Amino acid sequence: MPPPLLAAARGRPKAEPRLRKPAESATEAPPSPPAEAAQAEAAQAPEPPQSRVRPHVPVHADAVSRLSGEDALIHRAFAPLASHEGAFGLTDDAAAIAVPPSHEVVATTDTLVAGVHFFPDDPPEAIARKALRVNLSDLAAKAADPLGFLLSIALPEGIRPEWLDAFARGLADDSKKYRIPLFGGDTVRTTGPMVISITALGTAKPGEVVRRAGAQPGDWVMVTGTIGDAALGLMLRKHLGLKALNRLGTRDKAHLTDRYLLPQPRLRLAAALRLHATAAMDISDGLAGDLAKLCAVSGVGARIETALLPLSPAAAAAIETDPRLLERVVSGGDDYEILMTVPSDDLDAFVSAATRAGVAVTAIGEITAGPGLPVLYGPDGPMKLKQMSFSHF
Amino acid sequence: MPPPLLAAARGRPKAEPRLRKPAESATEAPPSPPAEAAQAEAAQAPEPPQSRVRPHVPVHADAVSRLSGEDALIHRAFAPLASHEGAFGLTDDAAAIAVPPSHEVVATTDTLVAGVHFFPDDPPEAIARKALRVNLSDLAAKAADPLGFLLSIALPEGIRPEWLDAFARGLADDSKKYRIPLFGGDTVRTTGPMVISITALGTAKPGEVVRRAGAQPGDWVMVTGTIGDAALGLMLRKHLGLKALNRLGTRDKAHLTDRYLLPQPRLRLAAALRLHATAAMDISDGLAGDLAKLCAVSGVGARIETALLPLSPAAAAAIETDPRLLERVVSGGDDYEILMTVPSDDLDAFVSAATRAGVAVTAIGEITAGPGLPVLYGPDGPMKLKQMSFSHF
């Protein structure tokens, strides 16, 4: 015999629970018109009802971690990254995040798949950092400041706890470095390769977000950092065996593969972009193709002089040995540098501001009247690229 | 010979581009101290710099769609869902979203994997809607109003355009139905099963979010809708061949499988939850296990009377034929109903408010002093569950 339910043992009123009939169907019923009685009741209500939401109480995280393997995993590996109060220690269904006054939210999402966007045997710390940084790079390109991120990870069978701990460690490092706390996430199983999906949230004042659409004929085309390293690093990582790459010294090779593994989101450029850029985006699929996208939405064309491209010593040495690598440099992915357009009158001020922010910027061409595909001038005239950029489709 | 770059053909000043040396290393340089000259320049600035961000210009989406297969796919299938101005027609790196004054952002993410969370041969419309609705259900449980969502989808080889169009159609239907526009996304290839990851953003006033932590001894434990249908629907879908399920009529069977395919997010309950609930969460992994999580973070226990559980006619008939199915009803996943706790004094007002909102609610037990695992009283006394809920780990 079940004990009496809801006995008034602690002096509570003996009111019977008002049991509702379950809905006839599972579909949500359309809102019923308020019953007359309910309307009358509402009209007579002596005072506005008070919210019953209670203030913050400490979370019994240890108790949660006993409930299931998934909860234990989240608690051990990821809860330490959820330093934002509104993340509720990852013990709730959602995070509650205050946005600074007079700011809007900037939201972006990017997904990495093992065997497609990274090698399954890459260091787990680097995989985690890359997954976060490719999103931070999008925030940087829009001149937004990081607010927080959500992580969804589909794990194949056989992932060891040590792997996950290292993954979480890498994520924690960058979460701290870029001051972007974890707001929440989801951890699921897959029978296929690992899939890591991150949504990053940032903030900017209304109208401050620098868009792709905004480039004007006559603007300078500029890029941060160096171009093409990651594409060459990927070739090295794949052991494609090109002599020009294999001849490089150990330090140069390490530089290129490191650039493939670990993007450098240019978040410090935000203020300079807001003030001076007419358009910006991050270069994830390759300079040529991404510039083509920027031109398309801006309704303009562009002329690029590849002799002006900022190259690392390693990339410059490789191209000098084998000029065919230039095509890979301009169309290969994973640069995660910022491509932006700056009016001529703003050039000096923009370069000064970028320099003060510690980010190298280089003018590589100009925006032309359009619309049209960008033209890249190489040592032998306009380049004929086999493809503008990487595409999975 | 390349043509002269950046000729002052259109009367622009002939200033040479100030070419920056590329950074020595790929790592982002630490911010340099402002040069004295730059400081002086800044001090002499006659007026505050104006942002160069241009107002909205029309997007040449057709031009974008010519660039790559991925862009064409996004443009055709998903851009129509990006009705929010700040989504920039999905032609930018990020969305810019205004949050209503005096509101905070509520963020949640959930991922579905083919073969784990849905069957690859489920209708694509239903897969899309489920992926969105499981996230909407989390917003509903926190008493948040939908703001928008981001979609990441990893597509296996061999997905046909017709499949994607149907998927987008289902997503568009629910995007409209629940007034939650698409803010952005990412579409990638995978060698494994499809992985769909959605991040939903909502809004609530500060302190209005109803948390899991907040249940108090003496509160009623309540649920929306009916419990267990989806778990039984999954058994039917798997052809587990239980006599009690196979004996059901066609309509009952359709009801259960429909409940597995298509959750009903209880967004209309938000106002009632805000006013009266001390704690809430959505039941995704099964009533028993999810209640255990709520109890753990609230530091309480609970007593549930299974005789009070709201059951659909189909579930009730199945359990009557085979009482062992009760265990599946209380521990099986995919209900996506809301579990909440309501102080005794608020019961009448809460039930009235829920009824006016068109959502059926039922009291099924009470919160007890704790902490401790919930006890579920079945027809033969306290139930001994093999597992409290579903866990992938």
Side-chain angles (χ1 to χ4, degrees), chain A residues 264-291:
Chain A
Q264 303 294 332
R266 305 301 185 186
L267 289 159
R268 289 175 176 148
L269 200 62
L273 285 175
R274 282 174 199 152
L275 286 174
H276 304 294
T278 48
M281 68 184 296
D282 82 328
I283 308 174
S284 51
D285 293 337
L287 172 65
D290 284 336
L291 177 57

Side-chain angles (χ1 to χ4, degrees), chain A residues 108 110 112 125-141 149 170-171 173-175 177-178 180 196 198 200 258-267 282 284 335-337, chain B residues 26-28:
Chain A
T108 184
D110 264 328
L112 304 188
E125 293 90 341
I127 295 169
R129 297 170 85 180
K130 183 165 192 171
L132 182 57
R133 288 180 180 207
V134 299
N135 281 281
L136 289 173
S137 179
D138 281 326
L139 291 185
F149 73 103
L171 205 59
D173 284 350
D174 272 2
S175 169
K177 177 184 173 86
Y178 295 104
I180 184 162
I196 305 164
I198 284 184
D258 181 66
R259 286 278 281 162
Y260 171 73
L261 265 185
L262 218 50
Q264 303 294 332
R266 305 301 185 186
L267 289 159
D282 82 328
S284 51
D335 281 326
Y336 297 104
E337 296 293 349
Chain B
T27 53
E28 187 169 3

Side-chain angles (χ1 to χ4, degrees), chain B residues 218-241:
Chain B
D219 286 351
W220 295 101
V221 176
M222 307 190 74
V223 291
T224 59
T226 59
I227 299 298
D229 294 338
L232 300 180
L234 175 60
M235 294 177 79
L236 270 172
R237 184 70 177 74
K238 280 184 169 170
H239 306 292
L240 285 183

Side-chain angles (χ1 to χ4, degrees), chain A residues 345-369:
Chain A
D345 290 348
D346 282 49
L347 183 67
D348 286 355
F350 176 69
V351 172
S352 290
T355 305
R356 285 197 298 273
V359 180
V361 293
T362 307
I364 60 169
E366 67 171 342
I367 294 294
T368 58

Side-chain angles (χ1 to χ4, degrees), chain B residues 24-392:
Chain B
E24 281 291 306
S25 144
T27 53
E28 187 169 3
S32 333
E36 275 183 37
Q39 279 181 322
E41 186 184 4
Q44 287 167 19
E47 54 188 51
Q50 297 287 308
S51 169
R52 294 303 299 248
V53 178
R54 303 270 163 85
H56 183 81
V57 297
V59 166
H60 298 255
D62 287 344
V64 175
S65 72
R66 283 198 302 270
L67 292 173
S68 78
E70 180 176 351
D71 291 305
L73 167 70
I74 290 166
H75 176 60
R76 189 189 70 237
F78 298 125
L81 284 69
S83 57
H84 189 285
E85 194 192 10
F88 306 132
L90 303 187
T91 60
D92 218 307
D93 299 345
I97 312 146
V99 177
S102 309
H103 280 67
E104 55 189 16
V105 171
V106 181
T108 184
T109 189
D110 264 328
T111 296
L112 304 188
V113 180
V116 179
H117 302 91
F118 62 90
F119 295 89
D121 60 346
D122 279 341
E125 293 91 341
I127 295 169
R129 297 170 84 181
K130 183 165 191 169
L132 182 57
R133 289 180 180 206
V134 299
N135 281 282
L136 289 173
S137 180
D138 281 327
L139 291 185
K142 302 292 100 182
D145 297 315
L147 182 64
F149 72 103
L150 297 104
L151 165 73
S152 259
I153 182 164
L155 295 170
E157 293 288 336
I159 288 287
R160 296 160 56 85
E162 297 76 27
W163 193 99
L164 274 170
D165 288 338
F167 180 89
R169 217 159 39 232
L171 205 58
D173 284 350
D174 272 3
S175 170
K176 197 172 169 187
K177 178 184 172 89
Y178 295 105
R179 292 177 194 174
I180 184 163
L182 178 65
F183 284 150
D186 195 16
T187 312
V188 296
R189 279 280 181 222
T190 177
T191 54
M194 184 181 297
V195 179
I196 305 162
S197 193
I198 284 183
T199 299
L201 303 181
T203 59
K205 289 185 183 162
E208 270 189 354
V209 161
V210 181
R211 298 180 48 193
R212 287 188 191 171
Q216 298 287 320
D219 286 351
W220 295 101
V221 176
M222 307 190 74
V223 291
T224 59
T226 59
I227 299 298
D229 294 338
L232 300 180
L234 175 60
M235 294 177 79
L236 270 172
R237 184 70 177 74
K238 280 184 169 170
H239 306 292
L240 285 183
L242 274 172
K243 278 183 194 168
L245 290 175
N246 288 336
R247 268 189 208 162
L248 293 174
T250 311
R251 176 177 275 183
D252 279 347
K253 283 182 183 171
H255 167 78
L256 296 178
T257 48
D258 181 66
R259 285 279 280 164
Y260 171 72
L261 265 185
L262 218 52
Q264 303 294 331
R266 305 301 185 185
L267 288 159
R268 289 175 176 148
L269 200 62
L273 285 174
R274 282 174 198 151
L275 286 172
H276 304 294
T278 48
M281 68 186 294
D282 83 327
I283 309 174
S284 51
D285 293 336
L287 172 65
D290 284 336
L291 177 57
K293 289 175 196 171
L294 188 150
C295 286
V297 295
S298 291
V300 297
R303 296 163 57 152
I304 300 303
E305 175 57 68
T306 60
L308 299 178
L309 280 178
L311 300 176
S312 68
I319 292 176
E320 193 168 307
T321 309
D322 186 348
R324 291 172 304 172
L325 286 173
L326 178 62
E327 173 152 1
R328 186 67 67 121
V329 161
V330 299
S331 66
D334 281 323
D335 282 326
Y336 297 104
E337 296 292 349
I338 297 178
L339 169 70
M340 59 247 147
T341 56
V342 175
S344 177
D345 291 348
D346 280 50
L347 182 67
D348 286 356
F350 176 68
V351 172
S352 290
T355 305
R356 285 197 298 274
V359 180
V361 294
T362 306
I364 61 169
E366 66 171 342
I367 294 295
T368 57
L373 287 177
V375 182
L376 284 79
Y377 289 93
D380 306 317
M383 293 177 74
K384 289 186 180 65
L385 298 173
K386 278 181 214 130
Q387 57 176 18
M388 298 290 281
S389 67
F390 179 77
S391 172
H392 289 292

Side-chain angles (χ1 to χ4, degrees), chain A residues 114-170:
Chain A
V116 179
H117 303 90
F118 62 90
F119 295 88
D121 60 345
D122 280 340
E125 293 90 341
I127 295 169
R129 297 170 85 180
K130 183 165 192 171
L132 182 57
R133 288 180 180 207
V134 299
N135 281 281
L136 289 173
S137 179
D138 281 326
L139 291 185
K142 302 292 98 181
D145 298 315
L147 182 64
F149 73 103
L150 297 103
L151 165 74
S152 259
I153 182 165
L155 296 170
E157 293 288 336
I159 289 287
R160 296 162 55 88
E162 296 77 26
W163 194 99
L164 274 170
D165 287 338
F167 180 90
R169 216 160 39 232

